[in-house]
Amino acid sequence: MTRVAPVSEAQPVVLVVDDDPLVRGALDSLFRSVDFAVRNYGSAQELLDAPLPETPCCLVVDVRMPHMGGFECRDRLVERGVDLPVIFLTGHGDIPMSVKAMKGGAVDFLTKPFRDQDLLDAVNTGLARAAERRSAYRDAAAMRERFATLTARERQVMEGVVRGLLNKQIAGELGIAEITVKLHRASLMRKMGLRTVPDLVRAAEGLTSQSANA
């Protein structure tokens, strides 16, 4: 049975996945002792079947568990588009396993028994990463919404500006007056909430990256 910690709307959560109830209990007590919210799961599948909190989360998961281990659990989440910072725990670690974990973007790979402070430090790092990712996602979503308000002509002008063209050159390519380009340029900058051309270039690069990863 999953134990659900009371979680406020903005409170970050540590997701603990371990098939050993004694380990889950010890981790739950450790995290609660420093005022972390915790949700505990007895298997990887139990985590995958449960709705995730709508707050920054990090995953603390045992590498070796029946049916599905920590690496496969992480891979299943990634397949679903869920990118959680992960701390792997194992009682039988080796160098290849550690390398695999870190190459996969793990926050840390800890071999039992580990120091409580090492785990707490890793969780703090993981939750900080999760908060940064969540903020970046919100910013990207807001930029997509603003971009969607641009007219077709404003998008054409934006593309020219991002390529480094002058207003006169953009006007020549589009077959419109230079003053019209200036008006569209001012309008698109206002709609995008941007002040400078470098800001616009960075926004365009972000939109392109999001489209490529969609």
Side-chain angles (χ1 to χ4, degrees), residues 51-66:
L52 294 177
E54 292 295 324
T55 59
C57 301
C58 78
L59 175 62
V60 177
V61 59
D62 191 17
V63 171
R64 300 181 187 274
M65 294 183 290

Side-chain angles (χ1 to χ4, degrees), residues 63-64 71 74 86-90 92-111:
V63 171
R64 300 181 187 274
F71 288 131
R74 187 269 313 277
V86 182
I87 296 111
F88 290 106
L89 306 180
T90 182
H92 308 281
D94 54 37
I95 292 176
M97 190 182 294
S98 176
V99 170
K100 178 180 179 181
M102 302 315 289
K103 281 188 175 181
V107 175
D108 211 338
F109 182 90
L110 300 176
T111 302

